[in-house]
Amino acid sequence: MKRNRVLAALLAAPLLLAVFPAAAQAAPDPDLKIDSITLNKTSVAVSGLNTAPVTVTVKGVFDTGSSTDEKVPVNVLLERTGGTGQQRYLWSTNLARNTQAGTWSGPLQVPSTANGTFKVTGVMTGPFFPGSGSMTEPTPYAGPSLAVTGTHQPKITASVSPKVVPFGSKFSITWAVTDAQTGKPYGSKVRVVLGTDNICAEYFGPGYTNLTNTSGVVTKAYAASDAQWVNCLLLPGNPASVGGQGLVVARPGIVTAAPSKASAPVGTIVPVNGVVAGAPSACKVYLQRLYGATQWKTVSPAGNIRSYSGKFTLNAQPAYKGLIPYRVYFPKCYNYQAGVSKAFYIRGT
C-alpha cells in the first residue's frame, strides 16, 4: 500500500524501523501461552556497526492442534524505556523451539543504535514479519530489562541533486554513513539498503543491499516517479534494520490561478480557481491583493488544496472600481517550496 505524501512531514527525523507486524491492532494469538522469558545478560556494550548477541529463552506453549506447531518460531519484542539511541524497539531473531525442554531459544542481536534501556514486553509467533500471515499482535509479557551502551553509533546523511526536484525529472541521492562520535567514516565498505516507499517501512531482512565505498558514501540514481515517495537508507540487521534515514525530496511550489470573471461590481464575490502542482493535500493557499506598487497582502481566508487533484477555490471581492491585481500565494508546506501564481486582474465596476 502506497504511503500518502504527507509522510514528508514525518521524515525530518531518522526512521525508527523496528516495525510491528501489519496486523498489530489485532488481538494476541490465543494459541500462544508464555510462562517465562529470560535473558542471559542484563547489560551489553556494542560499538559502531557491530551487534552484540544476547541469548533469549522463552518458556511456554504454542498449540493449535497441528503437527507442525513445534516448528513455529517466536520473536521476542523489547521496547525502549530510557536512553537516547535511534531504535525504539528491538526484535529477537527467529527463536527455534526445543520441544523436549519446552522452550524457544536464540539470539537477540543488539546494535549500537539501541543505546539505552529496553524491556521485554511481548512475544510474536514467527517467523518475523511478514511471517506466516498471522493476524495477531504480540502476546504481552512483562519481562526482564537490558541496559545497552552503544558507542560510535552510525550517522546517516543525504544530499539530493538537484536540491529541488522538478516534476517529471530524474534525481540522485548521495548517502553517507559515518561515525557520529568521531565524524569520520568507518574505513570499510558498509552494506546498506537503498529503498523506496514500502521497503522503507517494511524491510525485514537481507535483500536489496548496496555497498558504500570505504568513505561510507554511495550515490543512487532515482526515476522521476520515485520523487513522490519516501526514499531511505537502512542499515540491515537480523531480523529488522538497525537504523536508517528517510526523506522525501523537495518539490517546487507551482501555482496557477484564474478568476471566474474578468469584472464584477464592487463587493461581489468572484471565485478564483486554481491548481498547485503535485497536489500537496492538507496544505493551504491564500489570495493576495497588490497594495501600492510592491506590497502584496492576504485578502481572504485560507483555501484548502484538494487531495489528488491539487485544485482549490478562493473568493475575491473587488474593493473599488478599476483594475485590481491579485495573485495566489502558496507558503512552504511539507516538502513543497513556497510559490505564487502569476498576477491576474479583476475589474471592479
Side-chain angles (χ1 to χ4, degrees), residues 156-251:
I156 301 166
T157 57
S159 176
V160 182
S161 180
K163 289 184 177 180
V164 178
V165 179
F167 295 99
S169 295
K170 298 178 181 179
F171 62 100
S172 66
I173 303 177
T174 297
W175 301 92
V177 181
T178 56
D179 183 332
Q181 193 167 320
T182 66
K184 298 178 180 179
Y186 289 103
S188 61
K189 294 182 178 181
V190 180
R191 188 164 296 279
V192 298
V193 175
L194 300 180
T196 296
D197 192 35
N198 286 24
I199 296 300
C200 296
E202 299 172 359
Y203 168 79
F204 62 95
Y208 309 96
T209 54
N210 303 76
L211 283 174
T212 70
N213 60 22
T214 55
S215 296
V217 174
V218 59
T219 299
K220 180 179 177 179
Y222 293 82
S225 58
D226 293 332
Q228 61 186 316
W229 311 121
V230 178
N231 294 286
C232 63
L233 180 148
L234 309 181
L235 299 173
N238 183 11
S241 63
V242 297
Q245 180 71 41
L247 61 84
V248 176
V249 300
R251 291 297 220 174

Side-chain angles (χ1 to χ4, degrees), residues 46 48 50 80 84-88 90 110-116 118 148 150-151 153-154 235 241-244:
V46 57
N50 299 310
R80 175 181 294 282
T84 60
Q86 183 183 145
Q87 296 300 96
R88 291 172 54 195
L90 295 176
V110 182
S112 66
T113 49
N115 190 48
F118 287 76
V148 182
T151 57
Q153 297 176 47
L235 299 173
S241 63
V242 297

Side-chain angles (χ1 to χ4, degrees), residues 25-284:
Q25 298 305 312
D29 192 327
D31 300 311
L32 179 64
K33 309 296 181 186
I34 304 301
D35 296 323
S36 67
I37 301 175
T38 59
L39 306 176
N40 76 328
K41 298 176 182 178
T42 58
S43 64
V44 65
V46 57
S47 177
L49 299 171
N50 299 310
T51 56
V54 174
T55 301
V56 185
T57 301
V58 179
K59 186 174 183 179
V61 175
F62 178 66
D63 185 6
T64 67
S66 170
S67 60
T68 61
D69 285 348
E70 64 182 34
K71 297 180 181 180
V72 174
V74 297
N75 301 100
V76 172
L77 171 65
L78 294 84
E79 298 188 46
R80 175 181 294 282
T81 59
T84 60
Q86 183 183 145
Q87 296 300 96
R88 291 172 54 195
Y89 309 102
L90 295 176
W91 285 98
S92 75
T93 58
N94 295 319
L95 306 183
R97 179 73 165 166
N98 182 328
T99 53
Q100 292 183 338
T103 62
W104 292 267
S105 188
L108 163 69
Q109 300 290 356
V110 182
S112 66
T113 49
N115 190 48
T117 304
F118 287 76
K119 180 177 176 61
V120 171
T121 59
V123 182
M124 190 86 179
T125 49
F128 183 75
F129 172 79
S132 58
S134 173
M135 299 299 290
T136 61
E137 67 177 0
T139 297
Y141 186 87
S145 292
L146 177 69
V148 182
T149 301
T151 57
H152 297 280
Q153 297 176 47
K155 177 182 178 181
I156 301 166
T157 57
S159 176
V160 182
S161 180
K163 289 184 177 180
V164 178
V165 179
F167 295 99
S169 295
K170 298 178 181 179
F171 62 100
S172 66
I173 303 177
T174 297
W175 301 92
V177 181
T178 56
D179 183 332
Q181 193 167 320
T182 66
K184 298 178 180 179
Y186 289 103
S188 61
K189 294 182 178 181
V190 180
R191 188 164 296 279
V192 298
V193 175
L194 300 180
T196 296
D197 192 35
N198 286 24
I199 296 300
C200 296
E202 299 172 359
Y203 168 79
F204 62 95
Y208 309 96
T209 54
N210 303 76
L211 283 174
T212 70
N213 60 22
T214 55
S215 296
V217 174
V218 59
T219 299
K220 180 179 177 179
Y222 293 82
S225 58
D226 293 332
Q228 61 186 316
W229 311 121
V230 178
N231 294 286
C232 63
L233 180 148
L234 309 181
L235 299 173
N238 183 11
S241 63
V242 297
Q245 180 71 41
L247 61 84
V248 176
V249 300
R251 291 297 220 174
I254 300 175
V255 187
T256 57
S260 59
K261 296 179 181 180
S263 63
V266 171
T268 302
I269 292 177
V270 179
V272 174
N273 299 306
V275 177
V276 178
S281 58
C283 295
K284 304 287 186 181

Side-chain angles (χ1 to χ4, degrees), residues 3-29:
R3 302 294 186 268
N4 191 290
R5 294 180 181 90
V6 300
L7 279 177
L10 304 177
L11 288 165
L15 291 177
L16 303 174
L17 292 157
V19 292
F20 282 98
Q25 298 305 312
D29 192 327

